[in-house]
Amino acid sequence: MKPIVYTKIPRIDRDLIARAARQTVADLHEGLGAVAGRQCLLGPKMRPVWNGAKVCGQAVTCFNYPGDNLMLHAALRLAEPGDVVVATNGGEVQGALWGDMATLFAQLKGLGGAVIDGSARDSASVAEMGFPVFASVISVSHPEKRGPGSANVPVVVCGITVHPGDLIVGDADGVLAIPPELVETAVAGAEARSAKEEAMRARLKEGATMFDLLNLQPLFEAAGIVEVEGAWNDPR
């Protein structure tokens, strides 16, 4: 593929994005189902740069040549308020993709956050600014600005293919990249799960057990698990 920049991404209904923002990554992951949930979950190397960071917005993607961050600036230029810059150089340590100046510009522009598969730097300043940044590496390694690279094309981020316009949701538990056509499913499933767990919390406070609420006895029996009254080393 030749170096290329696409200027637009497919748009998701803003009310649906707002509903997603009220859910946790864990509930959205479960709401997607066992297969899609795994397909949308970025690898665990992707972590918030500061505790408490949360992000929910559509992906403006860029692939940067290792050691270079020229295309990051293309993504920053194209991103609209609420969007999340998703940048990768293949996860390489060399050439920090993100820092405090990019943070300031993104914050002033009203962007929703950044997800960086590669190095981010100036982590203390980013934390003070309160802008949500997730990264797979923290390193001050100097970047060049020569290219090549592309923006708003599919990119692989921590093992998951992220398409321009995917809904990026991140919190302390990880980051999801949800295709637009699956967002309604994820949100509806998360809302149902959240309501169910709220009812379970009330039952637990009344004295119920997790074993009974989850109806685990039939699963124990199906697995052939034997329960013995006593300690493992009691004389038989």
Side-chain angles (χ1 to χ4, degrees):
M1 177 186 291
K2 292 182 179 180
I4 192 168
V5 172
Y6 291 98
T7 61
K8 303 293 183 184
I9 64 173
R11 289 294 171 183
I12 299 171
D13 180 77
R14 289 185 179 276
D15 289 339
L16 185 55
I17 295 176
R19 285 171 59 198
R22 293 193 286 270
Q23 303 302 316
T24 66
V25 166
D27 284 343
L28 289 166
H29 170 70
E30 297 290 352
L32 282 162
V35 175
R38 286 172 170 82
Q39 291 174 330
C40 295
L41 181 63
L42 275 60
K45 286 179 63 178
M46 186 61 66
R47 303 299 304 157
V49 169
W50 51 274
N51 291 334
K54 295 181 179 181
V55 66
C56 183
Q58 288 194 258
V60 172
T61 66
C62 62
F63 179 81
N64 300 263
Y65 194 82
D68 193 280
N69 72 356
L70 179 63
M71 298 315 296
L72 171 77
H73 294 277
L76 279 170
R77 178 170 60 88
L78 296 170
E80 298 180 6
D83 289 345
V84 177
V85 171
V86 178
T88 182
N89 60 8
E92 294 292 330
V93 173
Q94 296 302 319
L97 291 174
W98 192 269
D100 58 356
M101 297 303 293
T103 299
L104 176 60
F105 179 73
Q107 197 168 43
L108 291 172
K109 198 173 181 181
L111 303 191
V115 171
I116 309 298
D117 189 12
S119 294
R121 58 194 254 178
D122 308 319
S123 55
S125 296
V126 171
E128 288 177 4
M129 297 165 78
F131 186 77
V133 178
F134 291 71
S136 61
V137 179
I138 301 296
S139 174
V140 299
S141 177
H142 170 75
E144 299 296 334
K145 291 178 174 59
R146 299 172 182 171
S150 293
N152 276 336
V153 299
V155 294
V156 176
V157 179
C158 284
I160 298 299
T161 299
V162 180
H163 296 83
D166 283 357
L167 186 64
I168 305 299
V169 188
D171 61 21
D173 285 335
V175 178
L176 288 167
I178 308 173
E181 66 272 16
L182 294 182
V183 174
E184 178 62 51
T185 297
V187 172
E191 290 171 342
R193 180 181 175 83
S194 179
K196 179 181 178 180
E197 290 190 342
E198 190 60 34
M200 288 180 65
R201 288 187 183 93
R203 293 284 306 281
L204 288 171
K205 292 176 181 178
E206 292 169 357
T209 69
M210 290 291 291
F211 193 89
D212 290 336
L213 288 178
L214 295 175
N215 193 28
L216 296 181
Q217 186 60 41
L219 300 180
F220 266 54
E221 294 171 0
I225 296 171
V226 176
E227 189 167 324
V228 177
E229 188 69 31
W232 70 273
N233 59 349
D234 284 346
R236 295 290 186 264

